[in-house]
Amino acid sequence: MQTLEAVDTDRELQLGDMYEVILYNDDINLVDHVVKSLVKVFGHTEHLAAKITFEAHERGNAIAAVEEQELAQLHKDQLQTFGLTASIHKV
């Protein structure tokens, strides 16, 4: 009879610190530009990108993604290249 080894999923989740990529609302960029930028940067569907965009518009900010630090920093920088305001925050 074969025995199964227990997997410590908590340990696996702690291997990389996770960061939120936060998109902020602004009065400069049009909705279409923000949606297209989110699709290009994250590969989001247009539907998800629109949802994030409207959440940022209504609440002032929205979480665009949760990722490991290096990828979150890269995506934040890419959003800023498109003229958007973004930051990262450790979860």
Side-chain angles (χ1 to χ4, degrees):
M1 179 175 228
Q2 186 179 12
T3 59
L4 298 176
E5 247 181 77
V7 176
D8 187 355
T9 55
D10 288 337
R11 184 171 177 254
E12 288 178 20
L13 292 175
Q14 294 173 359
L15 290 178
D17 291 328
M18 300 303 283
Y19 287 76
E20 298 171 334
V21 180
I22 303 170
L23 172 70
Y24 295 91
N25 184 48
D26 64 48
D27 295 330
I28 299 166
N29 293 292
L30 299 176
V31 169
D32 189 50
H33 173 69
V34 178
V35 170
K36 286 180 181 179
S37 298
L38 290 171
V39 169
K40 286 180 184 177
V41 170
F42 295 104
H44 290 333
T45 63
E46 285 190 17
H47 178 78
L48 178 56
K51 184 177 177 182
I52 293 166
T53 300
F54 285 112
E55 182 177 337
H57 179 72
E58 291 179 10
R59 295 185 179 186
N61 65 65
I63 299 169
V66 178
E67 309 170 307
E68 291 186 358
Q69 184 177 12
E70 283 185 36
L71 192 55
Q73 182 67 46
L74 172 66
H75 286 155
K76 176 197 72 90
D77 293 345
Q78 290 173 333
L79 290 173
Q80 290 175 339
T81 299
F82 284 109
L84 305 179
T85 304
S87 67
I88 63 171
H89 180 265
K90 189 172 180 179
V91 177

